[in-house]
């Protein structure tokens, strides 16, 4: 069996290969490491994943993107350093304890009032084709006490039903100018309305976005809501930006399963509790720096691989950017930032 550090080097090579594939660039043919099968799959699905910019950054998240910004704050809040962290801890998606604690407090004083919720864009060109199923599901199956906010709804949007709060919600809009400015300034935003809707819902629709996954998946887990997808290829693809948390072991349901579930409230709560337990252990530093069994080859110290240490320190020491600067303009033109 290859050593953890050798596997880590393979992972970093595979990440670069994956980035090349995502941008339609010629990629190396063979990788003698655990990611070879994944790279081959990506080559076959190049047409589908070509526009997945998140794929290119799944291991090297910029601190001005949601993934990297959360990781940076999680590191600092937990007093972690790049010299005493595993490769998994340095390169995986982490959520700050401050966010987790706020959501936990909301859960203590809330109860489930919605079966389903969805909050996000529906019709933007970069996400529309992956969210067709969600749009159909909302129109056909949402009831009055469910919750919908379409964040890219036009000003003349006509509500789809009593559940549609697209025109009367003033919550956080991740693609708005103010939200982008906050990320440029490295300010951590907590959207209470967004999390409240998930906290109060049994299920959260989690369609893919501009790549075949959505951070909404584990945000639903934080909130104690069960993620709902259509299929893994488009909504929960292992070889996308979800790579570093896909195999943690979270349980989800497809929309067909959600409609036909006969599980008791206790059964649903068991899924919610188990998902949350996995999340706290592997996507926060609240109980230390743990590595999921599926990522055993990333248990090596980050400092043992120069590229890991360099990437970790670069993002941990990331600097705020003036929203009016040329550098800000360059970053704003990066698809992942918006």
């Amino acid at each position: 069996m290859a050593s953890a550090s050798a596997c880590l080097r393979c992972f970093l090579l595979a990440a670069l290969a994956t980035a090349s594939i995502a941008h339609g660039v010629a990629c190396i043919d063979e990788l003698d490491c655990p990611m070879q099968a994944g790279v081959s799959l990506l080559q076959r699905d190049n047409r589908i994943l070509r526009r997945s910019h998140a794929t290119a950054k799944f291991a090297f998240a910029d601190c001005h993107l949601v993934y990297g910004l959360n990781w940076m704050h999680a590191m600092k809040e937990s007093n972690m350093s790049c010299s005493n962290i595993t490769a998994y801890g340095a390169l995986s998606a982490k959520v700050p304890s401050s966010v987790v604690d706020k959501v936990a407090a909301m859960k203590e004083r809330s109860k489930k009032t919605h079966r389903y919720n969805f909050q996000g864009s529906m019709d933007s060109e970069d996400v529309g084709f992956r969210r067709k199923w969600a749009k159909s599901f909302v129109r056909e199956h949402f009831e009055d006490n469910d919750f919908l906010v379409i964040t890219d709804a036009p000003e003349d949007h006509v509500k789809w039903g009593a559940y549609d709060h697209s025109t009367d919600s003033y919550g956080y809009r991740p693609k708005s100018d103010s939200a982008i400015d906050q990320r440029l300034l490295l300010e951590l935003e907590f959207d209470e309305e967004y999390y409240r809707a998930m906290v109060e819902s049994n299920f959260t629709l989690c369609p893919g976005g501009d790549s075949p996954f959505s951070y909404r998946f584990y945000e639903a887990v934080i909130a104690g809501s069960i993620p709902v997808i259509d299929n893994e290829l488009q909504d929960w693809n292992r070889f996308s930006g979800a790579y570093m948390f896909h195999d943690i072991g979270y349980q989800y349901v497809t929309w067909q399963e959600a409609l036909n579930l006969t599980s008791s409230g206790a059964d649903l709560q068991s899924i919610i509790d188990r998902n949350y337990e996995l999340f706290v252990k592997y996507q926060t530093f609240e109980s230390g720096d743990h590595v999921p069994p599926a990522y055993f080859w990333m248990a090596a110290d980050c400092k043992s691989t120069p590229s890991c240490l360099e990437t970790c320190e670069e993002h941990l020491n990331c600097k705020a950017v003036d929203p009016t600067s040329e550098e800000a303009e360059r970053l704003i033109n990066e698809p992942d930032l918006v």
Side-chain angles (χ1 to χ4, degrees):
M1 181 179 293
S3 68
S5 59
C7 287
L8 174 57
R9 287 192 291 273
C10 287
F11 166 76
L12 295 171
L13 284 172
L16 294 174
T18 306
S20 299
I21 292 170
H23 290 286
V25 179
C27 182
I28 54 180
D29 293 326
E30 298 290 338
L31 284 173
D32 184 21
C33 66
M35 281 293 288
Q36 181 174 341
V39 172
S40 298
L41 176 62
L42 277 169
Q43 288 170 328
R44 291 198 300 270
D45 290 340
N46 186 31
R47 178 181 61 82
I48 295 175
L49 295 177
R50 184 182 299 275
R51 297 176 64 236
S52 176
H53 295 279
T55 304
K57 290 181 180 263
F58 77 91
F60 307 103
D62 188 291
C63 62
H64 299 104
L65 310 180
V66 173
Y67 184 119
L69 183 60
N70 275 303
W71 175 87
M72 182 187 70
H73 280 274
M75 286 281 287
K76 292 184 175 180
E77 287 182 11
S78 303
N79 296 315
M80 303 292 288
S81 73
C82 298
S83 61
N84 68 353
I85 194 172
T86 63
Y88 184 81
L91 299 174
S92 60
K94 301 292 185 181
V95 176
S97 295
S98 58
V99 172
V100 178
D101 292 345
K102 288 177 181 177
V103 179
M106 292 175 65
K107 289 191 287 187
E108 288 183 359
R109 59 177 184 267
S110 301
K111 62 180 181 178
K112 300 295 186 185
T113 57
H114 318 302
R115 183 168 177 81
Y116 304 112
N117 86 91
F118 176 76
Q119 303 165 87
S121 54
M122 279 284 196
D123 295 314
S124 298
E125 182 180 358
D126 56 344
V127 304
F129 79 99
R130 286 197 178 92
R131 297 193 171 173
K132 287 181 180 179
W133 73 264
K135 181 185 291 188
S136 297
F137 187 94
V138 169
R139 286 188 174 278
E140 294 174 19
H141 302 293
F142 269 36
E143 297 182 355
D144 287 353
N145 61 342
D146 291 321
F147 192 89
L148 171 71
V149 171
I150 303 173
T151 57
D152 59 351
E155 292 184 2
D156 60 352
H157 173 74
V158 177
K159 289 190 175 185
W160 294 0
Y163 55 79
D164 187 347
H165 301 272
S166 302
T167 57
D168 55 19
S169 174
Y170 300 94
Y172 181 68
R173 296 292 188 268
K175 297 185 179 183
S176 68
D177 290 343
S178 60
I180 293 171
D181 286 351
Q182 284 181 316
R183 292 199 289 276
L184 289 169
L185 293 169
L186 304 182
E187 296 176 357
L188 192 62
E189 172 69 21
F190 179 75
D191 182 5
E192 186 172 347
E193 285 189 27
Y194 175 73
Y195 276 106
R196 180 183 295 113
M198 290 191 291
V199 164
E200 295 176 351
S201 300
N202 286 311
F203 301 95
T204 296
L205 304 192
C206 298
D210 53 5
S211 64
F213 87 106
S214 170
Y215 296 117
R216 183 180 293 100
F217 188 102
Y218 66 72
E219 290 168 343
V221 170
I222 301 172
S225 186
I226 299 173
V228 180
I229 68 169
D230 179 27
N231 63 76
E232 287 212 0
L233 181 63
Q234 295 291 359
D235 302 324
W236 187 229
N237 195 307
R238 174 181 283 106
F239 304 109
S240 71
Y243 181 78
M244 296 303 296
F245 45 89
H246 180 280
D247 293 336
I248 286 177
Y250 294 132
Q251 186 170 345
Y252 63 82
V253 295
T254 65
W255 63 264
Q256 295 95 334
E257 290 170 338
L259 290 175
N260 297 311
L261 273 179
T262 57
S263 303
S264 66
D267 290 336
L268 294 180
Q269 191 61 48
S270 177
I271 295 173
I272 289 169
D273 291 345
R274 178 55 179 161
N275 277 350
Y276 187 72
E277 178 184 346
L278 290 170
F279 168 81
V280 171
K281 185 173 184 178
Y282 297 122
Q283 287 198 255
T284 77
F285 291 119
E286 291 198 354
S287 62
D289 178 18
H290 299 286
V291 180
Y295 301 90
F296 70 93
W297 45 276
M298 296 194 71
D301 290 340
C302 179
K303 64 183 179 183
S304 68
T305 304
S307 54
C308 180
L309 184 60
E310 179 182 353
T311 300
C312 180
E313 290 181 340
E314 176 186 349
H315 293 137
L316 186 58
N317 298 311
C318 184
K319 304 299 182 185
V321 174
D322 181 348
T324 63
S325 67
E326 292 184 2
E327 174 65 5
E329 184 176 357
R330 181 190 68 79
L331 287 169
I332 289 172
N333 288 326
E334 288 286 331
D336 289 317
L337 190 68
V338 297

